[in-house]
């Protein structure tokens, strides 16, 4: 065996793959061979590093050099300069946006400095398709410890003491959930991992499954031991092909190594895990609908109680947790509840992974201790708003969450503060919006989503969200009426109080929170038929200003002959004829046409 | 795998493969400037990697550096043991490598007759 002197880690997360990391990896394989370095340099495909905005990412060890936006064309230079001659390729290093300073090592980058990675500790650091690398960094130690040195009661107690709460959105104490499932007496019990991540803009579960699948399997097996289950299901959407592939590889490798299957660690405990691919219905993230879907039925929720801990999958006691929740378990068992509860706030312990999207410089995944402020996440980690625009709002918690305005930026991010502010943790998707975003339009977007994802079983959700969407649509089209706001509010309260499941109960949240913080925008739309952000197309009017030279180009471009004026005279748009297509503005050589 | 002890044994075996991604002990740094390569730095590097593999010295890092100006004495090879001075050896040939690794890297005894430079540890 030869001494491996360098490791090249190429990110193989979905984001980097879609920006071309497969080609980068192939190019490395080719050039390492060309320079005869293939035996002394190890090429590894890892999971997501979270810094997706700057992908494809490549890290070279032992130096820990962090290369950003690497293309296949850059690879020859990295191999020749860095791996062959030992010279860092400076032009590919990350630059801090504010100082323009080059940062060679990735733990020194602002994006990573404020993070604390427990769940994502291995993501991007190990090969997710090699159980050996997971074991080498301490994997399956927690399962071994639980099975051989702890009783199921002690495991439940440890998780309870850690203060871990469900990371899927609700925030229910995980240990308590396990205790309920454990207390149910039955010949058969199940553990389910909810990987039906569906919020627009959320991709943290996907990254954990793709980057560190064994961590989730280990968490599930520990849970199985604690509650007395010998079988588990991972319900993952079919739109996550890479996650599914890596999970299958991981399950096969774990079974081969004896880490899943019969008599694990000689303890007499058996545990097997199956994968159930979901067809991508949002409502199947709701636990009762999810179980119906596994059973082969139509994915629709049912009233609770009975709760899954009493009667779940096939009528047997079942414990359902989210991917990120399971991903925390091994660390809690390894390091103890006391260690874990040092992170976070009084009532929200540990860390949370957030997916940063929207008008933010560093799109990507960030894991931060609970209680950090929204400002720190958006500015210190996220690098602020793109194109130097002004921050307007952040949408947190997906279609069930809410929008928070600038005045709430210093709010500590934890389950309870967010609920009090009219939003919710949700799965942790953060969509950042700038001054060009219309808040009525945002509410309409999320309601369109929940409306089309409503399963139709209960009337408040099926009919109520449809009526709300109709009202929002007419407001954004300039047809809003006096009393619409009040009608929205009363519909929202009714739906919240009477819908069958979480989807319907939380569907009005985006409307309520935008009404709470941005009511004036709704009023502007309704009373003055104006969209203050200039986003609602139907309410815009195009106006020709004094820079007009009378070149007649706009009049000729207009498809509906709405523009009139003599040659070399200022032209005028007839607003009653205008269809707001924007052709005049796009073609004006003097930039004399504005919209507003 | 039958027991927790099996897991620990396997982990200890596999851990060395990933050591490179953490801070590790001794560093061997080879001059890979054009001058170094012309003088045979790649061959020296190959000899170093072979010797480390033969002796299972998994926590020794091998790095390269550019030309430091002493082109006349290439191939230059530095050994940096944690907490000790950085020693630069000059005119290193592949056949010198096992001597340097045995004496200096493993046992901490500098091969004085080949030393061309020394940087004290700050």
């Amino acid at each position: 065996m030869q001494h491996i002197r360098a490791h090249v880690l190429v990110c193989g997360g979905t984001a980097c793959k879609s920006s071309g990391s497969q080609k980068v990896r192939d190019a490395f394989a080719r050039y390492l061979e060309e320079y005869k370095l293939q035996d002394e340099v190890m090429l590894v495909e890892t999971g997501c590093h979270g810094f997706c905005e700057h992908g494809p990412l490549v890290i070279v060890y032992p130096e820990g050099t962090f290369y950003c936006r690497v293309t296949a064309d850059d690879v020859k230079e990295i191999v020749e300069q860095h791996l062959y001659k030992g010279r860092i390729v400076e032009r590919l290093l990350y630059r801090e946006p504010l100082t323009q300073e080059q940062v060679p090592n990735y733990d020194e980058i602002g994006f990573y400095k404020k993070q604390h990675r427990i769940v994502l500790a291995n993501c991007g650091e190990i090969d997710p398709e090699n159980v050996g690398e997971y074991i080498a960094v301490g994997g399956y130690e927690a399962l071994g410890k639980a099975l051989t040195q702890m009783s199921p009661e002690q495991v439940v107690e440890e998780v309870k003491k850690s203060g871990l709460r469900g990371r899927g959105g609700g925030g229910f104490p995980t240990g308590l959930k396990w205790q309920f499932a454990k207390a149910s007496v039955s010949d058969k019990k199940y553990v389910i991992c909810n990987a039906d991540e569906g919020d627009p803009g959320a991709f943290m579960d996907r990254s954990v499954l793709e980057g560190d699948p064994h961590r989730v399997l280990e968490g599930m097996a520990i849970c199985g031991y604690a509650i007395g289950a010998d079988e588990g299901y991972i319900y993952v959407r079919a739109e996550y092909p890479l996650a599914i592939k890596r999970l299958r590889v991981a399950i096969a490798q774990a079974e081969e190594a004896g880490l899943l299957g019969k008599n694990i660690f000689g303890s007499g405990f058996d545990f097997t895990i199956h994968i159930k691919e979901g067809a991508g219905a949002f409502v199947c993230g709701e636990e009762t609908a999810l179980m119906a879907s596994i059973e082969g039925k139509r994915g629709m929720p049912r009233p609770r109680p009975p709760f899954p801990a009493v009667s779940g999958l096939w009528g047997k006691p079942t414990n359902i947790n989210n991917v990120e929740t399971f991903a925390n378990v091994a660390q809690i068992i390894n390091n103890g509840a006391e260690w874990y509860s040092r992170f976070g706030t009084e009532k929200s312990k540990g860390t949370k992974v957030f997916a940063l999207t929207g008008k933010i410089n560093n799109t990507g995944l960030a894991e931060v201790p609970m209680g950090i402020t929204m400002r720190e996440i958006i500015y210190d980690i996220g690098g602020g708003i793109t194109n130097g625009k002004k921050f307007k709002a952040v949408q947190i918690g997906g279609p069930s969450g809410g929008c928070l305005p600038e005045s709430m930026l210093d709010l500590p991010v934890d389950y309870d503060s967010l609920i009090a502010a009219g939003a919710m943790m949700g799965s942790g998707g953060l969509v950042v919006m700038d001054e060009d975003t219309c808040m009525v339009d945002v509410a309409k977007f999320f309601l369109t989503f929940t409306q089309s994802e409503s399963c139709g079983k209960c009337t408040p959700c099926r009919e109520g969200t449809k009526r709300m969407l109709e009202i929002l649509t007419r407001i954004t089209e300039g047809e809003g009426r006096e009393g619409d706001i009040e009608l929205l509010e009363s519909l929202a309260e009714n739906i919240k109080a009477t819908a069958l499941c979480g989807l319907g109960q939380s569907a009005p949240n985006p409307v309520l929170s935008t009404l709470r913080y941005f009511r004036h925008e709704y009023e502007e739309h309704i009373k003055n038929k104006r969209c203050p952000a200039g986003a609602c197309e139907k309410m815009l009017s195009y106006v020709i200003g004094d820079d007009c030279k009378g070149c007649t180009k706009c009049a000729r471009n207009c498809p509906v002959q709405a523009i009139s004026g003599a040659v070399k005279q200022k032209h005028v748009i007839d607003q009653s004829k205008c269809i707001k297509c924007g052709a005049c503005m796009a073609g004006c050589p003097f930039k004399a046409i504005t919209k507003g | 795998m039958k027991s927790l002890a099996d897991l620990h044994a396997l982990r200890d075996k596999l851990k060395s493969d990933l050591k490179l991604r953490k801070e590790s002990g001794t560093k061997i740094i080879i001059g890979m400037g054009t001058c170094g390569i012309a003088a045979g730095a790649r061959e020296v590097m190959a000899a170093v990697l072979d010797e480390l593999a033969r002796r299972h010295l998994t926590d020794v890092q091998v790095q390269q550096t550019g030309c430091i100006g002493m082109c006349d004495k290439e191939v230059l090879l530095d050994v940096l043991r944690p907490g000790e001075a950085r020693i630069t050896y000059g005119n290193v040939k592949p056949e010198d490598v096992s001597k340097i690794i045995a004496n200096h890297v493993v046992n901490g005894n500098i091969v004085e007759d080949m030393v061309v430079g020394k940087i004290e540890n700050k």
Side-chain angles (χ1 to χ4, degrees):
Chain A
M1 198 191 95
Q2 230 199 324
H3 187 91
I4 303 288
R5 68 174 169 87
H7 292 187
V8 176
L9 274 54
V10 180
C11 182
T14 291
C16 280
K17 282 226 166 178
S18 44
S19 50
S21 72
Q22 189 63 45
K23 282 187 185 148
V24 171
R25 190 202 141 109
D26 295 345
F28 266 110
R30 188 166 77 242
Y31 285 112
L32 285 176
E33 205 154 314
E34 192 168 301
Y35 283 81
K36 299 195 170 45
L37 299 173
Q38 72 272 29
D39 294 331
E40 53 191 73
V41 178
M42 192 207 279
L43 181 60
V44 186
E45 180 174 323
T46 68
C48 180
H49 289 87
F51 209 28
C52 311
E53 179 72 27
H54 294 270
L57 303 172
V58 172
I59 301 183
V60 180
Y61 284 100
E63 296 90 350
T65 311
F66 189 72
Y67 291 122
C68 299
R69 294 200 174 120
V70 178
T71 66
D73 297 336
D74 298 324
V75 170
K76 184 169 190 268
E77 190 177 346
I78 297 177
V79 172
E80 184 181 295
Q81 294 299 321
H82 188 154
L83 294 167
Y84 195 86
K85 297 182 179 170
R87 298 171 198 165
I88 288 171
V89 182
E90 289 188 358
R91 67 178 182 88
L92 294 171
L93 295 179
Y94 176 72
R95 277 175 197 273
E96 286 291 351
L98 293 178
T99 56
Q100 284 299 306
E101 216 170 286
Q102 286 180 334
V103 190
N105 291 77
Y106 91 105
D107 38 10
E108 289 158 16
I109 292 172
F111 180 74
Y112 289 104
K113 259 194 211 157
K114 283 219 169 172
Q115 294 198 41
H116 191 93
R117 293 161 85 95
I118 295 176
V119 170
L120 300 178
N122 296 337
C123 276
E125 287 295 316
I126 62 167
D127 178 354
E129 297 190 21
N130 180 350
V131 66
E133 294 208 352
Y134 183 65
I135 292 172
V137 295
Y140 288 107
E141 171 75 23
L143 179 61
K145 183 176 170 188
L147 293 186
T148 58
Q149 294 162 19
M150 296 168 84
S151 67
E153 290 76 18
Q154 284 174 315
V155 175
V156 171
E157 203 46 46
E158 201 67 22
V159 175
K160 261 169 84 177
K161 266 201 315 206
S162 75
L164 176 65
R165 294 170 66 173
R167 297 292 190 249
F172 191 80
T174 306
L176 207 54
K177 211 175 192 178
W178 289 20
Q179 189 184 328
F180 292 147
K182 178 173 165 40
S184 294
V185 182
S186 173
D187 56 332
K188 183 83 186 173
K189 293 181 189 179
Y190 293 99
V191 174
I192 297 177
C193 173
N194 184 347
D196 191 59
E197 185 174 53
D199 292 4
F203 53 97
M204 58 290 290
D205 293 347
R206 174 182 210 158
S207 288
V208 173
L209 293 175
E210 287 175 2
D212 200 6
H214 286 285
R215 176 185 293 266
V216 179
L217 304 184
E218 188 179 4
M220 287 177 72
I222 293 169
C223 173
Y225 173 70
I227 69 164
D230 63 353
E231 212 174 336
Y233 279 89
I234 302 176
Y235 188 87
V236 55
R237 40 183 52 221
E239 292 103 315
Y240 284 4
L242 186 62
I244 292 170
K245 177 186 158 225
R246 292 197 174 144
L247 276 172
R248 288 198 197 286
V249 171
I251 291 173
Q253 289 184 348
E255 281 175 351
E256 181 155 351
L259 298 162
L260 285 177
K262 296 266 177 229
N263 193 19
I264 302 168
F265 289 117
S267 63
F269 170 67
D270 306 335
F271 197 71
T272 50
I273 296 179
H274 314 283
I275 295 174
K276 170 73 187 177
E277 290 179 39
F282 184 64
V283 73
C284 287
E286 197 280 339
E287 56 187 18
T288 58
L290 186 152
M291 291 186 301
S293 176
I294 293 181
E295 291 172 5
K297 299 181 188 135
R298 182 169 171 183
M300 288 205 291
R302 60 158 175 82
R304 295 174 303 183
F307 285 91
V310 176
S311 173
L313 190 60
W314 286 298
K316 302 294 183 188
T318 302
N319 179 67
I320 302 192
N321 287 128
N322 162 268
V323 172
E324 196 185 329
T325 314
F326 280 126
N328 274 292
V329 170
Q331 296 270 45
I332 292 171
I333 299 297
N334 270 336
N335 301 316
E338 205 175 302
W339 168 83
Y340 190 80
S341 60
R342 285 210 302 263
F343 304 103
T345 63
E346 176 71 34
K347 288 191 173 150
S348 302
K349 297 296 185 194
T351 59
K352 177 79 192 85
V353 184
F354 289 100
L356 312 178
T357 55
K359 306 283 177 63
I360 191 162
N361 277 317
N362 298 337
T363 305
L365 274 192
E367 182 175 351
V368 291
M370 296 269 193
I372 190 171
T373 66
M374 200 59 94
R375 191 184 298 279
E376 286 173 280
I377 299 178
I378 294 172
Y379 287 92
D380 298 345
I381 296 172
I385 313 301
T386 46
N387 298 323
K389 295 262 186 177
K390 215 168 141 285
F391 171 88
K392 184 172 194 174
V394 56
Q395 212 282 344
I396 177 165
S400 314
C403 287
L404 300 177
E406 192 173 8
S407 61
M408 304 298 267
L409 271 181
D410 291 311
L411 184 79
V413 177
D414 62 58
Y415 290 101
D416 309 295
S417 315
L418 286 172
I419 295 278
M424 69 185 277
M425 184 75 80
S427 57
L430 289 183
V431 185
V432 177
M433 296 170 240
D434 68 6
E435 53 197 321
D436 295 339
T437 316
C438 166
M439 301 315 290
V440 187
D441 194 46
V442 167
K444 191 178 86 175
F445 168 81
F446 281 107
L447 213 63
T448 308
F449 180 84
T450 36
Q451 217 292 304
S452 66
E453 293 290 345
S454 170
C455 77
K457 183 169 182 175
C458 74
T459 319
C461 177
R462 183 184 67 234
E463 302 295 331
T465 57
K466 184 141 187 82
R467 294 289 98 80
M468 286 181 76
L469 181 59
E470 283 168 5
I471 297 168
L472 286 172
T473 306
R474 75 170 177 245
I475 293 176
T476 57
E477 291 181 348
E479 309 286 330
R481 304 168 198 162
E482 268 315 303
D484 271 354
I485 294 181
E486 291 71 20
L487 188 54
L488 278 175
E489 283 174 329
S490 99
L491 275 168
E493 292 309 334
N494 270 310
I495 297 169
K496 268 176 94 91
T498 57
L500 175 59
C501 79
L503 188 150
Q505 286 157 14
S506 61
N509 282 351
V511 179
L512 287 174
S513 70
T514 46
L515 271 171
R516 175 167 167 184
Y517 296 113
F518 300 94
R519 199 182 186 91
H520 55 280
E521 286 200 22
Y522 282 81
E523 288 166 348
E524 272 293 303
H525 279 77
I526 295 171
K527 294 196 178 112
N528 300 329
K529 310 291 177 217
R530 207 184 131 256
C531 173
C536 294
E537 284 290 332
K538 291 243 167 117
M539 307 184 81
L540 293 176
S541 49
Y542 288 84
V543 182
I544 301 178
D546 290 337
D547 289 337
C548 176
K549 302 276 190 281
C551 76
T552 74
K553 192 171 180 192
C554 56
R556 280 179 281 128
N557 278 350
C558 179
V560 292
Q561 283 83 46
I563 304 179
S564 58
V567 178
K568 295 194 180 172
Q569 299 275 311
K570 187 179 157 188
H571 282 45
V572 184
I573 302 176
D574 180 348
Q575 298 298 339
S576 66
K577 285 190 189 161
C578 175
I579 55 162
K580 337 265 190 211
C581 70
C584 53
M585 187 169 152
C588 177
F590 308 102
K591 298 196 174 21
I593 303 175
T594 51
K595 66 174 180 178
Chain B
M1 201 164 313
K2 294 276 175 286
S3 66
L4 194 54
D6 289 351
L7 179 76
H8 291 163
L10 180 63
R11 184 170 72 212
D12 291 339
K13 198 159 85 61
L14 295 168
K15 217 159 60 181
S16 59
D17 294 345
L18 294 192
K19 250 183 198 155
L20 208 58
R21 294 178 214 168
K22 312 264 172 248
E23 270 305 306
S24 77
T26 303
K27 279 184 192 168
I28 297 178
I29 303 158
I30 300 167
M32 279 280 170
T34 306
C35 46
I37 293 172
R42 281 292 305 164
E43 290 73 19
V44 170
M45 162 89 82
V48 167
L49 297 178
D50 286 345
E51 188 66 20
L52 292 177
R54 209 169 56 74
R55 291 174 171 268
H56 304 291
L57 298 174
T58 50
D59 61 345
V60 176
Q61 278 189 10
V62 181
Q63 297 189 12
Q64 312 105 301
T65 186
C67 171
I68 58 162
M70 255 195 298
C71 312
D72 183 40
K73 297 211 164 47
E74 291 282 3
V75 175
L76 294 170
L77 183 151
D78 294 9
V79 174
L80 179 57
R81 284 166 57 95
E84 295 178 15
R86 174 171 174 165
I87 304 297
T88 303
Y89 295 104
N91 296 315
V92 178
K93 303 272 173 292
E95 53 270 28
D96 301 324
V97 166
S98 71
K99 184 167 65 181
I100 295 173
I101 289 182
N103 286 308
H104 191 173
V105 175
V106 176
N107 293 316
N109 302 320
I110 298 169
V111 184
E112 297 289 354
D113 57 331
M114 293 184 68
V115 173
V116 294
K118 188 173 181 182
I119 303 170
E120 287 299 337
N121 192 18
K122 276 165 265 170

